[in-house]
């Protein structure tokens, strides 16, 4: 991502037709309730054609989860890099990025959360490593904010994880036709996130990039 605002932009799916079909079917029927034949039909492929790209249903699940975590990490790093040096500004940008991802990629985020149990042990360990990397980015920001006297939570690591859990949870209930637009939801949840880490709330009424 070359522009500081690109991480806020979501334009269509980032998945191949095979992975998009697998994602849709996993959301509707669950991993174990889905057949490879259903995925192939949804992608407009024969079963042998699907197997040419993905040798198993497990490989499709891994493909979805890898693509999702790689995109989230890229957007998070871009958001933080564009926010400057202040822990408060970096916190706001990373939390906004987390929220936008779980709004706009809610199906993929939902599958990542609910189907981690369906990953083989080695694949699960690899996914958790990426998830932990994402969490450590926010942990470091919150710790820096506490050290700088900008956040006053006595439990920085727990507060950081609570914020992440709140953002991830958005994928389970957000709907485009619901009462809050993405920008309105970000404003509400960012206020809650700031309070969770004990950040001063004055002067943060307007989000960057949301006039």
């Amino acid at each position: 991502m070359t522009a500081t605002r690109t991480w806020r932009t979501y334009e269509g799916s980032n998945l191949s037709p095979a992975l998009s079909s697998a994602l849709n079917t996993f959301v509707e029927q669950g991993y174990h309730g889905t057949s490879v034949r259903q995925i192939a039909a949804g992608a407009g492929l024969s079963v042998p054609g699907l197997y040419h790209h993905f040798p198993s249903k497990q490989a499709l699940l891994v493909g979805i989860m890898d693509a999702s975590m790689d995109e989230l990490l890229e957007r998070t790093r871009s958001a933080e890099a564009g926010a400057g040096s202040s822990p408060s500004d970096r916190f706001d940008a990373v939390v906004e990025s987390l929220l936008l991802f779980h709004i706009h990629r809610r199906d993929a985020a939902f599958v990542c959360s609910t189907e981690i149990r369906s990953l083989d042990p080695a694949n699960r360990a690899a996914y958790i490593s990426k998830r932990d990397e994402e969490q450590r980015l926010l942990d470091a920001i919150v710790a820096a904010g506490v050290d700088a006297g900008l956040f006053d939570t006595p439990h920085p690591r727990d507060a950081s994880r609570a914020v992440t859990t709140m953002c991830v949870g958005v994928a389970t209930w957000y709907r485009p036709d619901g009462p809050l637009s993405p920008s309105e939801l970000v404003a509400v949840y960012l206020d809650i996130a700031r309070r969770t880490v004990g950040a001063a709330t004055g002067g943060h009424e307007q989000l960057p990039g949301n006039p």
Side-chain angles (χ1 to χ4, degrees), residues 3-170:
T4 58
R5 291 174 61 87
T6 304
W7 58 268
R8 289 191 175 97
T9 302
Y10 287 81
E11 296 178 347
S13 174
N14 65 327
L15 300 177
S16 67
L19 291 179
S20 292
S21 176
L23 174 61
N24 292 337
T25 315
F26 292 161
V27 169
E28 292 175 2
Q29 300 178 192
Y31 175 78
H32 292 292
T34 295
S35 71
V36 171
R37 187 172 300 278
Q38 288 173 311
I39 296 170
L45 296 170
S46 66
V47 171
L50 180 65
Y51 278 137
H52 177 73
H53 300 285
F54 296 93
S56 65
K57 186 168 68 168
Q58 180 75 188
L60 287 157
L61 180 60
V62 170
I64 291 167
M65 296 177 86
D66 277 350
S68 299
M69 280 307 308
D70 289 346
E71 181 184 7
L72 177 57
L73 281 164
E74 182 182 11
R75 287 178 182 276
T76 298
R77 293 185 184 117
S78 180
E80 182 179 10
S85 60
S86 167
S88 295
D89 292 340
R90 288 159 55 208
F91 178 82
D92 283 6
V94 168
V95 172
E96 183 185 353
S97 181
L98 276 167
L99 288 166
L100 289 175
F101 182 86
H102 287 86
I103 290 169
H104 294 289
R105 299 284 190 247
R106 59 191 179 279
D107 284 350
F110 175 76
V111 167
C112 287
S113 295
T114 59
E115 296 295 355
I116 187 173
R117 62 192 175 184
S118 301
L119 290 171
D120 293 343
N123 294 329
R124 186 182 306 119
Y127 173 77
I128 289 173
S129 178
K130 289 185 177 183
R131 188 185 65 184
D132 289 349
E133 183 179 352
E134 172 71 25
Q135 183 62 56
R136 285 194 296 270
L137 292 171
L138 188 60
D139 290 348
I141 294 170
V142 174
V146 171
D147 290 344
L150 298 170
F151 306 155
D152 66 5
T153 175
H155 309 291
R157 181 167 291 189
D158 293 320
S160 176
R161 279 154 173 71
V163 168
T164 298
T165 300
M166 176 183 71
C167 295
V168 170
V170 167

